Amino acid sequence: MKLLMNNDMIIFRDKDKIILDLYKEHNQVAINPEFLPVLLLFRSPKDENDIEDDRDNFTTYSESEFDAIVDEFINKHVLIDSEGINEKKLEIDSLNQSTRYYYWANRIFNYEKYETTYHEFMKLGSQRNIQPSVYKEYESKLKSIPLPYPSEIKRDLLSTILYRQSVRYGITKENVSFDAISDLLYYSTGETSYAFDNGMGDALFKPTATPGGRAGNELYLINLSNTNLENGIYHYSVKKHTLDLIKKGDFNDIMFKISGNQSQVKSTKMMLVLTEKMDRIIWKYHEGIAYRSAMIESGAVMQNIYLIASARKLGVGAIGTFRDDELDKLLNINPNNECVTLMFTMGVMDKNKDRFDQPSIDKYMEEDADERKQQSFPNN
């Protein structure tokens, strides 16, 4: 028997332990970090002679301790018999493990059959009655604010692309105008055209590429201190080109905590939250294709947000680290069919600062010490 690390396992650290996630078995094993070097000896298949050689060269543990660790790995299915495993899969490629885990977690559990256009047409026609709407509207909105008609931006494309940047600290106290808000929302996720297809049903087209006309992206605006707009959480209605207020209040502290205490959130005027309505895309495509399409679409929207901000001299900075559960609750979204992909800070860019202007390390440490005094997560 040749022993090998389980190829269906993700390794990550959690505080003072190493977690071995056997995701196909829905089982996690916690081990002492000191045992990890023993496990990593089995990145390629080892027979009994190999193990004896490794044991002799491995002086950290006695022979009996080494064997006990290996036996425990076998009992927990962390080490498996490599016999019968495809030769190409015998070497553990840790880089590709995360990709394999993504597909395991997000795709359908059988072979994805790619259909002809004719079969896709017939299938979608038969399930037209369950097609999710390409528009999201809030019936319980507190008020609806019409946005100005999008303006014609005359800055040339090349300059816009070259001056695109993440601006995290160069935000002024100046209000973001309604014209700028309108341009940013419309040219990133607004409706440019609509079509109805006998096979596909409703199709919505936007300034960014969208999979199969399904237009999965939604934008939420959280006003923190822009004084020409009531503080609160707004949803951008693509259908009506309006900002719909869904929650009133001061969400400065909550957004600071949700973003993992990132200091740029303290100085921003407002924030954007980008989501993907997965149910719209999955209605047409298999799960694996749908998730891939949604991530591509989200990246395209992010680039448009940056380019429009660059043309309008706004400072935006993408944030990919946030507390998903808390943000879902704050936006009242159902994580089973809608997921947050990105957040952005946003404000009028300070002409005297660039992307490299940021607080000193002493300022960071001072702010961190202040925040440690706040132990509880604020209620929304």
Coordinates of all heavy atoms in Angstrom, one line a residue, residues 311-358:
A311 N -13.8 59.1 -15.0 CA -14.2 60.2 -15.9 C -14.9 61.3 -15.1 O -14.8 62.5 -15.5 CB -15.2 59.6 -16.9
R312 N -15.6 61.0 -14.0 CA -16.3 62.0 -13.2 C -15.5 62.5 -12.1 O -16.0 63.3 -11.3 CB -17.6 61.4 -12.7 CG -18.7 61.1 -13.7 CD -19.1 62.3 -14.5 NE -19.4 63.5 -13.6 CZ -20.6 64.0 -13.5 NH1 -21.6 63.5 -14.1 NH2 -20.8 65.1 -12.7
K313 N -14.2 62.1 -12.0 CA -13.3 62.6 -11.0 C -13.8 62.2 -9.6 O -13.8 63.0 -8.6 CB -13.0 64.1 -11.1 CG -12.2 64.4 -12.3 CD -11.9 65.9 -12.4 CE -11.0 66.2 -13.6 NZ -11.4 65.6 -14.9
L314 N -14.4 61.0 -9.5 CA -14.8 60.5 -8.2 C -13.7 59.5 -7.7 O -13.0 58.9 -8.5 CB -16.1 59.7 -8.3 CG -17.3 60.6 -8.7 CD1 -18.5 59.7 -8.9 CD2 -17.6 61.6 -7.7
G315 N -13.6 59.3 -6.4 CA -12.7 58.3 -5.9 C -13.5 57.1 -5.4 O -14.4 57.2 -4.6
V316 N -13.2 56.0 -6.0 CA -13.8 54.7 -5.5 C -12.7 53.7 -5.2 O -11.6 53.7 -5.8 CB -14.7 54.1 -6.6 CG1 -15.9 55.0 -6.9 CG2 -14.0 53.7 -7.8
G317 N -13.0 52.8 -4.2 CA -12.0 51.8 -3.8 C -12.8 50.5 -3.5 O -13.7 50.5 -2.7
A318 N -12.5 49.5 -4.3 CA -13.2 48.2 -4.1 C -12.7 47.5 -2.8 O -11.6 47.6 -2.4 CB -12.9 47.3 -5.3
I319 N -13.7 46.9 -2.1 CA -13.4 46.1 -0.9 C -14.0 44.7 -1.1 O -15.2 44.5 -1.4 CB -14.1 46.8 0.3 CG1 -13.5 48.1 0.6 CG2 -14.0 45.8 1.5 CD1 -14.2 48.9 1.8
G320 N -13.1 43.7 -1.0 CA -13.5 42.3 -1.2 C -13.6 41.5 0.1 O -14.0 40.4 0.1
T321 N -13.2 42.2 1.2 CA -13.3 41.5 2.5 C -14.4 42.1 3.3 O -14.4 43.3 3.6 CB -12.0 41.7 3.3 OG1 -10.9 41.1 2.5 CG2 -12.0 41.0 4.6
F322 N -15.4 41.3 3.6 CA -16.5 41.8 4.4 C -17.3 40.6 5.1 O -17.1 39.5 4.7 CB -17.5 42.6 3.6 CG -17.8 42.0 2.2 CD1 -18.7 41.0 2.1 CD2 -17.1 42.4 1.1 CE1 -19.0 40.4 0.8 CE2 -17.4 41.9 -0.1 CZ -18.3 40.9 -0.3
R323 N -18.1 40.9 6.1 CA -18.8 39.9 6.8 C -20.1 39.6 6.1 O -21.1 40.4 6.2 CB -19.1 40.4 8.2 CG -17.9 40.8 9.0 CD -18.3 41.4 10.4 NE -17.1 42.0 11.0 CZ -16.3 41.4 11.9 NH1 -16.4 40.1 12.1 NH2 -15.3 42.1 12.4
D324 N -20.1 38.5 5.3 CA -21.3 38.3 4.4 C -22.6 38.2 5.2 O -23.6 38.8 4.7 CB -21.0 36.9 3.7 CG -19.8 37.0 2.7 OD1 -18.7 36.9 3.2 OD2 -20.1 37.2 1.5
D325 N -22.6 37.4 6.3 CA -23.9 37.2 6.9 C -24.5 38.5 7.4 O -25.7 38.8 7.3 CB -23.7 36.3 8.1 CG -23.4 34.9 7.7 OD1 -23.6 34.6 6.5 OD2 -23.0 34.1 8.5
E326 N -23.7 39.4 8.0 CA -24.2 40.7 8.5 C -24.6 41.6 7.4 O -25.6 42.3 7.5 CB -23.1 41.4 9.3 CG -22.7 40.6 10.6 CD -23.8 40.6 11.6 OE1 -24.7 41.4 11.5 OE2 -23.8 39.7 12.5
L327 N -23.9 41.5 6.3 CA -24.3 42.4 5.1 C -25.6 41.9 4.5 O -26.4 42.7 4.1 CB -23.2 42.4 4.1 CG -23.2 43.5 3.0 CD1 -23.4 44.9 3.6 CD2 -21.9 43.4 2.2
D328 N -25.8 40.6 4.4 CA -27.0 40.0 3.9 C -28.2 40.5 4.7 O -29.3 40.9 4.2 CB -27.0 38.5 3.9 CG -26.0 37.9 2.9 OD1 -25.6 38.7 2.0 OD2 -25.7 36.7 3.0
K329 N -28.0 40.5 6.0 CA -29.1 40.9 6.9 C -29.4 42.4 6.8 O -30.6 42.8 6.8 CB -28.8 40.6 8.4 CG -28.7 39.1 8.7 CD -28.2 38.9 10.1 CE -28.0 37.4 10.5 NZ -27.4 37.2 11.8
L330 N -28.3 43.2 6.6 CA -28.5 44.6 6.5 C -29.2 45.0 5.3 O -30.1 45.9 5.3 CB -27.1 45.3 6.5 CG -27.0 46.8 6.6 CD1 -27.6 47.3 8.0 CD2 -25.6 47.3 6.4
L331 N -29.0 44.3 4.2 CA -29.6 44.6 2.9 C -30.9 43.8 2.7 O -31.6 44.0 1.7 CB -28.7 44.2 1.7 CG -27.3 45.0 1.7 CD1 -26.5 44.5 0.5 CD2 -27.5 46.5 1.6
N332 N -31.3 43.0 3.7 CA -32.5 42.2 3.5 C -32.5 41.3 2.3 O -33.5 41.2 1.6 CB -33.8 43.0 3.6 CG -34.0 43.7 4.9 OD1 -33.5 43.2 5.9 ND2 -34.7 44.8 5.0
I333 N -31.3 40.7 2.0 CA -31.3 39.9 0.8 C -31.3 38.4 1.2 O -30.8 38.1 2.3 CB -30.1 40.2 -0.1 CG1 -28.8 39.9 0.6 CG2 -30.1 41.6 -0.6 CD1 -27.6 40.1 -0.3
N334 N -31.8 37.6 0.3 CA -31.8 36.1 0.6 C -30.6 35.5 0.0 O -30.4 35.5 -1.2 CB -33.1 35.5 -0.1 CG -33.2 34.0 0.1 OD1 -32.3 33.4 0.7 ND2 -34.3 33.5 -0.3
P335 N -29.7 35.0 0.8 CA -28.4 34.5 0.3 C -28.6 33.2 -0.5 O -27.6 32.8 -1.2 CB -27.6 34.2 1.6 CG -28.6 34.0 2.7 CD -29.7 34.9 2.3
N336 N -29.7 32.6 -0.5 CA -30.0 31.4 -1.4 C -30.1 31.8 -2.8 O -29.9 30.9 -3.7 CB -31.3 30.7 -0.9 CG -31.1 30.1 0.4 OD1 -30.0 29.6 0.8 ND2 -32.2 30.1 1.2
N337 N -30.4 33.1 -3.1 CA -30.5 33.4 -4.6 C -29.8 34.7 -4.9 O -29.9 35.2 -6.1 CB -32.0 33.5 -5.0 CG -32.8 34.4 -4.2 OD1 -32.4 35.5 -3.8 ND2 -34.1 34.0 -3.9
E338 N -29.2 35.4 -3.9 CA -28.5 36.6 -4.2 C -27.3 36.7 -3.3 O -27.4 36.4 -2.1 CB -29.4 37.8 -4.0 CG -28.8 39.2 -4.3 CD -29.7 40.4 -4.2 OE1 -30.9 40.1 -3.8 OE2 -29.4 41.5 -4.5
C339 N -26.1 37.0 -3.9 CA -24.9 37.1 -3.1 C -24.1 38.4 -3.4 O -24.1 38.9 -4.5 CB -24.0 35.9 -3.4 SG -23.4 35.7 -5.1
V340 N -23.5 38.9 -2.3 CA -22.7 40.1 -2.4 C -21.4 39.7 -3.0 O -20.7 38.7 -2.5 CB -22.5 40.8 -1.1 CG1 -21.6 42.0 -1.2 CG2 -23.9 41.2 -0.5
T341 N -20.9 40.4 -4.0 CA -19.6 40.1 -4.6 C -18.6 41.2 -4.3 O -17.4 40.9 -4.2 CB -19.7 39.9 -6.1 OG1 -20.3 41.1 -6.7 CG2 -20.6 38.7 -6.5
L342 N -19.0 42.4 -4.2 CA -18.0 43.5 -3.9 C -18.7 44.7 -3.2 O -19.9 44.9 -3.3 CB -17.4 44.0 -5.3 CG -16.3 43.3 -5.9 CD1 -16.0 43.8 -7.3 CD2 -15.0 43.4 -5.1
M343 N -17.9 45.4 -2.5 CA -18.3 46.7 -1.9 C -17.3 47.8 -2.4 O -16.2 47.5 -2.8 CB -18.3 46.7 -0.4 CG -19.3 45.7 0.2 SD -19.6 46.1 2.0 CE -17.9 46.3 2.6
F344 N -17.7 49.1 -2.4 CA -16.9 50.2 -2.9 C -17.1 51.3 -1.9 O -18.2 51.7 -1.5 CB -17.2 50.6 -4.3 CG -17.2 49.6 -5.3 CD1 -18.2 48.7 -5.6 CD2 -16.0 49.5 -6.1 CE1 -18.2 47.8 -6.5 CE2 -16.0 48.5 -7.1 CZ -17.1 47.7 -7.3
T345 N -16.0 52.0 -1.5 CA -16.1 53.3 -0.9 C -16.2 54.3 -2.1 O -15.7 54.1 -3.2 CB -14.9 53.6 0.0 OG1 -13.7 53.4 -0.8 CG2 -14.9 52.7 1.2
M346 N -16.8 55.5 -1.8 CA -17.0 56.4 -2.9 C -17.1 57.9 -2.4 O -17.8 58.1 -1.4 CB -18.2 56.1 -3.8 CG -18.4 57.0 -5.0 SD -19.8 56.5 -6.0 CE -21.2 57.1 -5.1
G347 N -16.5 58.8 -3.1 CA -16.6 60.2 -2.7 C -15.9 61.0 -3.8 O -15.4 60.5 -4.8
V348 N -16.0 62.4 -3.7 CA -15.3 63.3 -4.6 C -13.8 63.2 -4.3 O -13.4 63.4 -3.2 CB -15.8 64.7 -4.5 CG1 -15.1 65.6 -5.4 CG2 -17.3 64.7 -4.8
M349 N -13.0 63.0 -5.4 CA -11.6 62.8 -5.2 C -10.9 64.2 -4.9 O -11.2 65.2 -5.5 CB -11.0 62.2 -6.5 CG -9.6 61.8 -6.3 SD -9.1 60.6 -7.6 CE -9.5 61.5 -9.1
D350 N -10.0 64.1 -4.0 CA -9.2 65.3 -3.6 C -8.1 65.5 -4.7 O -7.3 64.6 -4.9 CB -8.5 65.1 -2.3 CG -7.9 66.3 -1.7 OD1 -7.5 67.2 -2.5 OD2 -7.7 66.4 -0.5
K351 N -8.1 66.6 -5.4 CA -7.2 66.8 -6.5 C -5.7 66.9 -6.0 O -4.8 66.7 -6.8 CB -7.5 68.1 -7.2 CG -8.9 68.1 -7.9 CD -9.2 69.4 -8.5 CE -10.6 69.4 -9.1 NZ -11.0 70.7 -9.7
N352 N -5.5 67.1 -4.7 CA -4.2 67.3 -4.2 C -3.6 66.0 -3.6 O -2.5 65.9 -3.1 CB -4.2 68.3 -3.1 CG -4.6 69.7 -3.6 OD1 -4.2 70.1 -4.6 ND2 -5.5 70.3 -2.8
K353 N -4.4 64.9 -3.8 CA -3.9 63.6 -3.2 C -4.1 62.5 -4.3 O -4.9 62.7 -5.3 CB -4.7 63.2 -2.0 CG -4.5 64.0 -0.8 CD -5.3 63.5 0.4 CE -5.0 64.4 1.6 NZ -5.8 63.8 2.8
D354 N -3.3 61.5 -4.2 CA -3.4 60.4 -5.1 C -3.6 59.1 -4.3 O -3.7 59.1 -3.1 CB -2.2 60.3 -6.1 CG -0.9 60.0 -5.4 OD1 -0.9 59.5 -4.3 OD2 0.1 60.4 -5.9
R355 N -3.6 57.9 -5.0 CA -3.9 56.7 -4.4 C -2.9 56.3 -3.4 O -3.1 55.4 -2.5 CB -3.9 55.6 -5.5 CG -2.6 55.4 -6.2 CD -2.7 54.5 -7.4 NE -3.1 53.1 -7.0 CZ -3.2 52.1 -7.8 NH1 -3.0 52.3 -9.1 NH2 -3.6 50.9 -7.4
F356 N -1.7 56.9 -3.4 CA -0.6 56.5 -2.4 C -0.7 57.3 -1.1 O 0.1 57.0 -0.2 CB 0.7 56.6 -3.1 CG 0.9 55.7 -4.3 CD1 0.9 56.3 -5.6 CD2 1.0 54.4 -4.2 CE1 1.0 55.5 -6.7 CE2 1.1 53.6 -5.4 CZ 1.1 54.2 -6.6
D357 N -1.5 58.3 -1.1 CA -1.7 59.1 0.2 C -2.5 58.3 1.1 O -3.7 58.0 0.8 CB -2.3 60.4 -0.1 CG -1.3 61.3 -0.8 OD1 -0.2 61.4 -0.4 OD2 -1.7 61.9 -1.9
Q358 N -2.0 57.9 2.3 CA -2.8 57.2 3.3 C -2.2 57.5 4.6 O -1.1 58.0 4.8 CB -2.7 55.7 3.0 CG -1.3 55.1 3.0 CD -1.3 53.7 2.5 OE1 -1.8 53.3 1.5 NE2 -0.7 52.8 3.3

